[in-house]
Amino acid sequence: MQNSKTQETLVGLFVACGITALFFMAMQISNLSSFADENVYTIRANFDNSGGLKVKSPITIAGVRVGRVSEITLDKDEFVSVVKMNIDARYKLPADTSASIYTAGLLGEQYISLDPGGSEELLAENDVMDITSSAVILEELIGKFFTENESE
Amino acid sequence: MIDFFQTLGHSVLSSFAKLGRSCFFLLQILAGILTVIPRPRLLTKQLYSVGVLSFLIICISGFFVGMVLGLQGFYILSDFGAEETLGVMVAASLVRELGPVVAALLFAGRAGSALTAEIGLMKATEQLSGMEMMAIDPIKRIIAPRFLAGFISMPLLAALFSSIGVIGGQVVGVGLLGVDDGAYWSQMQSTLDFQEDIINGVIKSIVFGFIVSWIALFEGYDAVPTSEGVSRATTRTVVNSAFAILGLDFILTALMFGDI
């Protein structure tokens, strides 16, 4: 039996290691560190088809992540996909910003790319972006390709 | 024929009686935990034998499990040209399932069996009844600190297992197989959610710690006080803990991740 002093030290060390591991999981493995929920504003965009876009999909400008998709719903009257996104409050966007859905790599996840326009006005909370281009659905493309070939 | 029904009925009734005893036992432990808090010395001693002594086996197994995941994941993912998502695969499978489950199975084998044998031998050598003679409640003095130690150690051990496993996966994936280091971590961070993955994994490990400590202590306390009885109780601890861990894991996973 070791004396109780070393035992206590070892227990302390063990608990410290365990808590470090918990912190490591929270900060390094999960997305907790990239969260800044309080400093965001919400804007919306209507897409004809939002494809495989998911809640928490990234939103980028020129390849830099500026926010996340927060909600995807269907507009009941016009049958378009309403995508709400949280944008980091540091980035102010012109009112004529356009949004397009792209795929990262051939099989990768889908994300929204914003293309800022030249307007003087800025997008504010809950504004709607008008210029959007929908997700490219691979099957549609292939289908089009085949029907065009046949008609020739 | 009558004999057959008699033995059948007897075994059914006695297993119900055992379940009932274990529930009373759990209530007694929970009531006894309050008396441990003013005596942290008792707890440190048990944390040492339950937690610190399991530390090494958890770290080494976690590292190797992570390395194997990295290796296998790489070969499968490289068929699809998706090696970059290796970090996601390793971290998600560790944090959600393997970390809590394998750590709990190891914990049951390493610490649970030791607890059962210790308590069973105390009972066989009549140390427990000796304490009762001195008006010391063995549940408060012996059982409750051990239960609390198991309950505290298990989540910490599972977190260590997962973290070291992720590092092991990185050593193999990035170090040996050439996956990009930045992609390994960033894909992991952008896919794994703090609440959905990390917190649920920790909840799992807390539940497993509770169950394993309960089973181990009860089997020891309920053991037939002979050397054969103690050895049987130890075996039952490991077997029953494994069943409980794997069965509960399915239920917990269905509850936590079922609606995605």
Side-chain angles (χ1 to χ4, degrees):
Chain A
M1 189 52 113
Q2 282 158 301
N3 72 47
S4 69
K5 199 78 185 173
T6 39
Q7 227 175 53
E8 277 168 18
T9 319
L10 286 170
V11 169
L13 212 62
F14 164 66
V15 174
C17 282
I19 291 171
T20 318
L22 283 174
F23 263 104
F24 176 78
M25 291 211 299
M27 305 312 288
Q28 196 70 31
I29 298 181
S30 82
N31 55 5
L32 191 68
S33 50
S34 58
F35 245 82
D37 246 350
E38 62 274 19
N39 278 324
V40 296
Y41 63 102
T42 311
I43 51 177
R44 286 181 299 161
N46 299 340
F47 292 97
D48 292 335
N49 189 337
S50 59
L53 202 69
K54 288 187 294 255
V55 171
K56 292 214 174 84
S57 291
I59 294 157
T60 63
I61 297 175
V64 179
R65 203 175 69 76
V66 294
R68 283 179 185 283
V69 172
S70 64
E71 196 185 327
I72 300 174
T73 46
L74 182 72
D75 185 325
K76 273 187 229 142
D77 303 321
E78 300 187 22
F79 297 111
V80 292
S81 163
V82 181
V83 176
K84 274 192 189 172
M85 37 194 127
N86 289 336
I87 307 285
D88 195 318
R90 283 177 297 171
Y91 306 109
K92 303 281 175 225
L93 300 173
D96 56 350
T97 299
S98 63
S100 345
I101 300 178
Y102 291 132
T103 310
L106 194 59
L107 299 168
E109 61 171 352
Q110 298 201 294
Y111 65 97
I112 295 182
S113 175
L114 298 182
D115 199 3
S119 168
E120 295 280 304
E121 276 176 74
L122 293 177
L123 280 173
E125 180 84 22
N126 279 329
D127 276 359
V128 181
M129 278 186 279
D130 300 320
I131 317 162
T132 60
S133 65
S134 292
V136 174
I137 312 285
L138 211 57
E139 287 89 332
E140 265 180 24
L141 267 187
I142 295 171
K144 254 183 213 162
F145 177 74
F146 277 116
T147 46
E148 274 171 20
N149 267 13
E150 274 166 23
S151 62
E152 269 173 16
Chain B
M1 199 62 187
I2 299 286
D3 268 3
F4 171 71
F5 282 113
Q6 255 179 351
T7 40
L8 189 71
H10 180 259
S11 64
V12 169
L13 283 182
S14 63
S15 57
F16 275 120
K18 191 168 178 184
L19 189 63
R21 278 204 304 281
S22 67
C23 290
F24 278 119
F25 181 71
L26 182 65
L27 287 180
Q28 280 176 306
I29 297 177
L30 294 180
I33 278 178
L34 288 179
T35 59
V36 180
I37 294 163
R39 292 199 191 108
R41 269 291 157 75
L42 286 178
L43 184 63
T44 10
K45 211 170 163 188
Q46 294 314 318
L47 271 175
Y48 177 77
S49 65
V50 169
V52 176
L53 294 182
S54 314
F55 183 82
L56 202 62
I57 186 175
I58 292 283
C59 289
I60 293 175
S61 339
F63 192 67
F64 279 108
V65 168
M67 295 211 312
V68 168
L69 276 176
L71 205 58
Q72 290 286 8
F74 180 82
Y75 287 129
I76 294 169
L77 291 173
S78 62
D79 282 348
F80 304 101
E83 300 96 56
E84 314 283 271
T85 49
L86 183 69
V88 180
M89 200 207 107
V90 170
S93 45
L94 273 170
V95 169
R96 287 184 189 167
E97 296 294 338
L98 286 175
V101 171
V102 178
L105 289 174
L106 289 170
F107 182 76
R110 171 66 189 75
S113 57
L115 283 178
T116 309
E118 192 185 11
I119 307 285
L121 273 175
M122 277 186 179
K123 193 182 178 190
T125 52
E126 300 195 332
Q127 291 180 49
L128 293 184
S129 26
M131 283 193 156
E132 273 170 22
M133 293 292 284
M134 293 189 286
I136 299 171
D137 186 354
I139 296 230
K140 286 180 185 162
R141 184 71 172 68
I142 302 288
I143 309 281
R146 285 169 173 74
F147 182 80
L148 202 57
F151 185 64
I152 295 172
S153 312
M154 189 56 231
L156 298 178
L157 290 171
L160 272 167
F161 189 94
S162 304
S163 311
I164 290 181
V166 169
I167 293 170
Q170 193 233 13
V171 165
V172 168
V174 176
L176 298 179
L177 300 171
V179 176
D180 181 50
D181 194 33
Y184 185 85
W185 292 108
S186 68
Q187 294 249 354
M188 188 188 318
Q189 285 168 7
S190 65
T191 309
L192 264 74
D193 188 62
F194 178 69
Q195 229 155 26
E196 247 157 42
D197 295 313
I198 309 282
I199 294 285
N200 279 347
V202 172
I203 290 174
K204 269 187 184 177
S205 60
I206 291 175
V207 172
F208 294 157
F210 186 89
I211 290 290
V212 171
S213 321
W214 178 22
I215 291 177
L217 292 169
F218 176 70
E219 289 293 354
Y221 196 73
D222 202 52
V224 180
T226 59
S227 45
E228 199 196 353
V230 173
S231 92
R232 282 198 179 168
T234 314
T235 312
R236 271 203 309 272
T237 297
V238 177
V239 173
N240 290 352
S241 303
F243 280 144
I245 290 165
L246 296 170
L248 268 176
D249 181 51
F250 174 73
I251 296 171
L252 287 173
T253 305
L255 284 177
M256 289 168 174
F257 302 105
D259 54 355
I260 292 174

